[in-house]
Amino acid sequence: MLQSAWHLGILSESFSVEERYYRAIEISIFAPNPRKKIMKTLSKRRLKQRRDKFLSMRYVDDLAELTSFVRYKLTLIAGVPQYHFFSVPKRNGGLRHIENPARKLKKVQRTLNNFLQAVYFFEKTEAAYGFIIRARDEAPRDIVSNAHQHLNVPWLMNMDLTDFFHYVKREDVFHIFCHVPFNFSEDLAEILTQLTTYKGRLPMGAPTSPVLSNFATIDMDIDLLAFAQARGWTFTRYADDMSFSMDTAPMDSEIEAIRQIAGKHQFLFNETKLKIYGPEDEKLVTGLRLGEEVTLSSAFLQEIREEIDRLQKVVEARAMAGQPPSKWVEKYTQQVQGRMAFAEKVLGEYDPIYVELEKAFNRALNPPDRFSSVNWLDFPYH
């Protein structure tokens, strides 16, 4: 019904570029609805086979065979990785630079991502919820289940890591490939690092960046889990968004201790994103509202209704003028489709709010006959 969610990544300024990028990837790749999923849901046995195949590599020739490129072509792609650049405005001013890998490089990265996801599935921490492939017959870890962990708790604290991908440096990725669970040779680790990093760090836009960021935060997750569990807190991490829920208000010393743990692992907090919610506050986790259940925030619902209304007016105006949909209208429609896909993921296909949104969206795309074009010869003249 709704074909694509990738365009969700360029919709709302109420979320950071990273948040929109993460949500779009997860909906388009890991959506639990079988009508929408792009990546096939695998059994644990099949994931283990995929993991073992990747970990059994010893030489660059093995990697070339895995990616279906001859060695010299793979070496050329890795030696001079090509990216296309575009920028999007930040809410607080300035520009955010996105690096989209060229076609051949992206093909290699997508293959690598499939295998890296299988490896990480068996290495994931209890705290991690973003960009984890779902095994058959296992509850998903995603943006919704992440928020579920913090239901019905009086206090909530959200913290955000600054420039998340860019703080995972080239040497960090090389270290990942040289050590457990990979234990690759330096030659193999080097070409894998070349294929997945750019300008000395993870690029924003590469298919492999989310899973490699998960590998890079394993030790930090373990330390923060120990810190939280010692206090009876719940801690989860969805990409760069970290949430802590607890029965009493967090103390300044505890917040500083969390900063120190992140700093120990070479990550930095975005101080402007620190948010503490008390017992009487409406609580949000990665933009989702915590009530009796996880649902969409009122701001999100208002925005999507306004976007559907705007789409309807544009479609009706073009229909009255006898004009077919322009490329801009098609692009905007896809953007709203992405928004709708996210709403369905959170609310469910049969939720009354989602049903109302879907009806409004369909009305917007199918204006009534009275908006069909009018020929000037049909006007009566006296």
Side-chain angles (χ1 to χ4, degrees):
M1 182 185 339
L2 299 177
Q3 298 298 317
S4 170
W6 175 256
H7 302 277
L8 179 63
I10 52 175
L11 280 175
S12 173
E13 284 304 315
S14 60
F15 306 116
S16 70
V17 170
E18 289 92 340
E19 288 168 332
R20 286 176 274 149
Y21 172 67
Y22 301 149
R23 291 171 185 218
I25 291 179
E26 185 170 73
I27 293 171
S28 62
I29 295 179
F30 301 114
N33 188 331
R35 293 178 303 154
K36 298 180 180 61
K37 67 185 177 184
I38 295 174
M39 181 179 287
K40 182 180 179 182
T41 301
L42 303 175
S43 66
K44 286 187 179 180
R45 179 174 173 271
R46 184 69 183 89
L47 283 172
K48 185 177 184 299
Q49 290 174 344
R50 183 176 286 183
R51 176 199 67 178
D52 293 346
K53 182 177 182 180
F54 192 74
L55 296 182
S56 69
M57 290 193 304
R58 291 292 175 265
Y59 308 104
V60 176
D61 286 337
D62 297 331
L63 177 62
E65 181 180 354
L66 189 77
T67 57
S68 301
F69 279 88
V70 296
R71 176 170 176 159
Y72 85 90
K73 286 188 177 180
L74 187 65
T75 304
L76 285 175
I77 293 171
V80 188
Q82 295 183 348
Y83 287 82
H84 305 297
F85 304 92
F86 64 94
S87 300
V88 293
K90 298 180 183 180
R91 278 185 297 163
N92 57 354
L95 295 173
R96 179 87 62 188
H97 303 293
I98 310 297
E99 297 131 341
N100 184 37
R103 182 178 60 84
K104 289 182 180 179
L105 176 58
K106 182 177 284 187
K107 180 181 178 182
V108 173
Q109 291 175 343
R110 283 175 172 162
T111 299
L112 292 177
N113 182 57
N114 288 341
F115 286 96
L116 289 169
Q117 286 289 347
V119 178
Y120 184 74
F121 178 85
F122 296 98
E123 303 293 326
K124 62 183 180 291
T125 66
E126 184 183 332
Y129 277 80
F131 307 109
I132 301 172
I133 190 171
R134 180 184 179 185
R136 195 175 300 149
D137 300 324
E138 181 170 296
R141 290 202 191 188
D142 56 22
I143 193 169
V144 180
S145 59
N146 174 65
H148 264 283
Q149 308 310 306
H150 303 283
L151 284 172
N152 303 314
V153 181
W155 291 85
L156 172 72
M157 177 170 64
N158 292 330
M159 308 178 87
D160 184 90
L161 297 171
T162 298
D163 293 334
F164 185 45
F165 287 171
H166 292 179
Y167 269 79
V168 181
K169 304 301 183 183
R170 186 189 194 283
E171 53 268 29
D172 299 324
V173 176
F174 182 77
H175 182 272
I176 287 168
F177 287 127
C178 284
H179 292 80
V180 175
F182 299 100
N183 294 318
F184 290 147
S185 67
E186 290 193 2
D187 286 347
L188 184 53
E190 175 62 26
I191 193 169
L192 284 165
T193 302
Q194 290 176 331
L195 288 166
T196 56
T197 61
Y198 187 63
K199 294 185 177 180
R201 36 68 175 173
L202 291 182
M204 171 75 83
T208 45
S209 290
V211 67
L212 286 172
S213 70
N214 272 341
F215 277 109
T217 49
I218 286 176
D219 290 342
M220 183 183 72
D221 283 352
I222 292 171
D223 285 350
L224 288 173
L225 276 168
F227 178 87
Q229 290 170 355
R231 290 159 176 77
W233 297 3
T234 297
F235 161 61
T236 64
R237 180 183 58 81
Y238 182 86
D240 64 342
D241 289 307
M242 302 195 301
S243 297
F244 301 82
S245 52
M246 63 285 288
D247 291 329
T248 58
M251 297 184 293
D252 290 344
S253 60
E254 291 171 323
I255 297 173
E256 179 58 29
I258 295 172
R259 286 193 189 96
Q260 294 298 321
I261 292 172
K264 167 187 168 184
H265 297 285
Q266 310 304 314
F267 290 101
L268 182 67
F269 281 124
N270 183 341
E271 298 293 342
T272 64
K273 296 288 187 72
L274 172 63
K275 179 68 176 178
I276 299 174
Y277 301 90
E280 304 303 319
D281 297 327
E282 180 184 74
K283 299 175 177 64
L284 298 175
V285 172
T286 54
L288 299 180
R289 184 169 65 86
L290 304 184
E292 293 183 4
E293 293 292 337
V294 174
T295 188
L296 296 170
S297 69
S298 55
F300 184 98
L301 290 171
Q302 179 180 344
E303 287 172 3
I304 191 171
R305 288 181 177 122
E306 290 174 354
E307 287 166 356
I308 291 173
D309 182 63
R310 190 177 303 119
L311 176 64
Q312 181 173 354
K313 290 176 180 176
V314 172
V315 170
E316 289 177 354
R318 295 190 70 86
M320 290 181 69
Q323 298 175 343
S326 65
K327 288 185 178 180
W328 181 90
V329 174
E330 291 176 357
K331 182 178 179 180
Y332 190 74
T333 301
Q334 290 176 324
Q335 293 176 356
V336 180
Q337 279 184 311
R339 201 83 143 157
M340 291 288 293
F342 182 67
E344 183 181 4
K345 178 180 177 65
V346 175
L347 299 174
E349 184 177 2
Y350 302 108
D351 182 271
I353 295 176
Y354 176 75
V355 171
E356 174 256 318
L357 291 173
E358 186 177 38
K359 287 180 179 178
F361 180 65
N362 289 331
R363 284 197 302 270
L365 293 181
N366 298 282
D369 292 340
R370 70 176 184 275
F371 289 110
S372 58
S373 60
V374 179
N375 191 308
W376 66 272
L377 294 173
D378 294 332
F379 279 96
Y381 288 90
H382 301 287

